[in-house]
Amino acid sequence: MTRRSEPLPFGATIGILGGGQLGRMSAHAAARLGYRTHVYTPEQGSPGGEVASTVTVAAFDDAAALRGFCAQVDVVTFEFENIPPAVLDLLDETGVACRPGTAVLRIGQDRVLEKRFLGRMGIEVAPWGVVEKLGDLAAIPFPAVLKTTRLGYDGRGQARVANMAEAEAGFARLAPHPLVWEAYMPFALEISAVAARGMDGAMAVYDITENIHRHHILDQSIVPARISAETRAVAEANIRRLLEGLDMVGVLALEMFVMEGGEVIANEIAPRPHNSGHWTMDACQVSQFDQHIRAVAGLPVIQPRRHADVVMDNLVGPEGAARWDAALADPAAVPHWYGKADVRPGRKLGHVNRLTGRG
Ligand code: ADP
Ligand code: MG
């Protein structure tokens, strides 16, 4: 479905639900394009709140605060997908414009709905099943990964299990239930597609990114990805199909595994700018955050042009913070700091884009 509508006028306010770094970088992009931002977050001194035009610090179950926020913004977007379902209900009820729509969020925050949707789109996923009770563990082909259906991120809410005893321990430890099991995929590498779709249905797909995780957290993104032309074509076709199938407005990311033989297996989607797209900030004329804001504001998304090869390093926890000074002194590096209140292990504190050559 394509819609026509007037772009938001200069000075209009884009509401961003969530106060993390993705909101921060979206707010920067919005300001460049002439828009105000209003961040809603439960957190004082959040990375997004620090740079937004207006901040509401309130809990996600504060209906009065949420209604006030909706009344003050021209459109709502999201910087993380784990928005509580009751908040999505409230947004629907107020009739505030949401881009992407709340239906996309409902799919993206539930691994069961997400996998079913990917299946309906004809996109291959790892063998999987739902685990509601102990007896459901009998269906698992080991080795496997148990994951919570909801609220997982950066590997939280997951357990790799090689046998029934480990599966039972994982079932007891992980919450909330239900869980899903997935066959463990001995992939050759991980890639992602990041793309935007505007309100007119036009799509812009970035170069496929190769991703290296450490302790289940994205550590490095490499562009161009070291994949075959066939693998690239499948990955790009997948993201285009999903953008249309979801009637997406904004940026969508798809994480995928590439098997030894080149087969592409979809892992998960994120209906928002994605960590593996941060390289676009410095290696392209238009970043994923620019595209997201353009789409949300009803402006055209444009074809990205990459002018350099690039490696993005995430700065995670104290050891990531210790790499900041070197990044500042490197003429090939563009450092980005998120302004988080404290440095904790496993926390994404910033990233560095190192431009390594001509694209
Ligand atoms: P999160 O929501 O935390 O990003 P993911 O499902 O993307 O959760 O899992 C995080 C990482 O764990 C993946 O990027 C991958 O490295 C590894 N992983 C997840 N599922 C599997 C699987 N079925 N087989 C092999 N590795 C997996
Ligand atoms: Mg992931």
Side-chain angles (χ1 to χ4, degrees):
M1 183 178 65
T2 60
R3 285 142 303 191
R4 277 172 213 283
S5 85
E6 290 297 309
L8 292 183
F10 289 131
T13 301
I14 298 173
I16 301 175
L17 276 177
Q21 63 266 22
L22 302 176
R24 179 187 182 92
M25 293 183 274
S26 299
H28 280 143
R32 272 201 304 278
L33 290 167
Y35 297 115
R36 296 170 51 80
T37 47
H38 185 157
V39 160
Y40 188 106
T41 169
E43 193 193 340
Q44 284 287 354
S46 64
E50 295 271 287
V51 307
S53 320
T54 309
V55 193
T56 296
V57 178
F60 277 120
D61 61 6
D62 185 339
L66 278 167
R67 284 179 201 284
F69 167 77
C70 291
Q72 290 174 65
V73 302
D74 295 288
V75 61
V76 171
T77 191
F78 309 89
E79 68 100 46
F80 74 119
E81 61 267 33
N82 291 327
I83 306 284
V87 174
L88 300 178
D89 293 343
L90 184 143
L91 294 174
D92 287 345
E93 191 193 310
T94 63
V96 68
C98 294
R99 298 177 195 146
T102 53
V104 178
L105 273 285
R106 290 180 205 275
I107 293 171
Q109 64 180 218
D110 183 315
R111 290 192 196 272
V112 172
L113 299 182
E114 181 176 81
K115 286 174 190 303
R116 285 193 186 132
F117 181 76
L118 288 164
R120 277 207 304 283
M121 291 281 108
I123 295 174
E124 194 176 349
V125 297
W128 68 283
V130 181
V131 183
E132 282 169 345
K133 51 189 189 311
L134 262 180
D136 296 332
L137 298 176
I140 299 179
F142 296 110
V145 185
L146 284 178
K147 300 182 181 180
T148 56
T149 304
R150 312 178 67 84
L151 304 178
Y153 72 99
D154 287 346
R156 281 166 232 222
Q158 295 194 16
R160 199 175 149 186
V161 293
N163 52 50
M164 188 53 83
E166 288 179 10
E168 286 174 4
F171 182 78
R173 179 173 69 79
L174 295 174
H177 287 173
L179 309 177
V180 297
W181 62 261
E182 286 174 22
Y184 180 79
M185 295 280 116
F187 51 76
L189 48 84
E190 291 190 81
I191 58 172
S192 58
V194 174
R197 184 166 178 271
M199 289 190 62
D200 59 358
M203 294 185 271
V205 181
Y206 285 99
D207 286 338
I208 301 302
T209 305
E210 176 178 339
N211 300 315
I212 298 173
H213 291 80
R214 266 178 78 199
H215 312 302
H216 296 277
I217 302 175
L218 182 66
D219 183 48
Q220 200 169 63
S221 290
I222 301 167
V223 184
R226 293 165 288 188
I227 54 175
S228 68
E230 293 75 23
T231 298
R232 186 180 313 277
V234 172
E236 289 179 0
N238 282 351
I239 192 81
R240 286 180 185 279
R241 211 176 309 156
L242 288 174
L243 283 170
E244 294 217 324
L246 291 166
D247 191 20
M248 185 71 199
V249 176
V251 166
L252 177 74
L254 171 64
E255 299 176 8
M256 292 162 276
F257 304 137
V258 182
M259 307 307 285
E260 213 53 69
E263 190 188 1
V264 176
I265 306 285
N267 174 28
E268 63 171 356
I269 63 171
R272 53 166 171 77
H274 192 260
N275 196 166
S276 71
H278 289 359
W279 61 268
T280 63
M281 298 173 84
D282 301 304
C284 293
Q285 94 284 27
V286 61
S287 77
Q288 62 166 347
F289 300 101
D290 298 328
Q291 301 273 38
H292 188 71
I293 294 298
R294 280 167 168 263
V296 167
L299 300 173
V301 300
I302 53 173
Q303 292 314 308
R305 291 195 195 130
R306 182 167 61 81
H307 53 74
D309 293 348
V310 54
V311 174
M312 187 232 42
D313 288 308
N314 261 346
L315 302 179
V316 180
E319 54 184 84
R323 288 153 69 192
W324 182 251
D325 287 349
L328 279 178
D330 179 353
V334 189
H336 299 259
W337 189 252
Y338 304 153
K340 293 196 177 172
D342 44 32
V343 173
R344 286 200 300 265
R347 234 176 165 211
K348 292 174 180 170
L349 302 171
H351 70 269
V352 181
N353 288 328
R354 264 185 301 122
L355 305 179
T356 56
R358 292 187 58 98

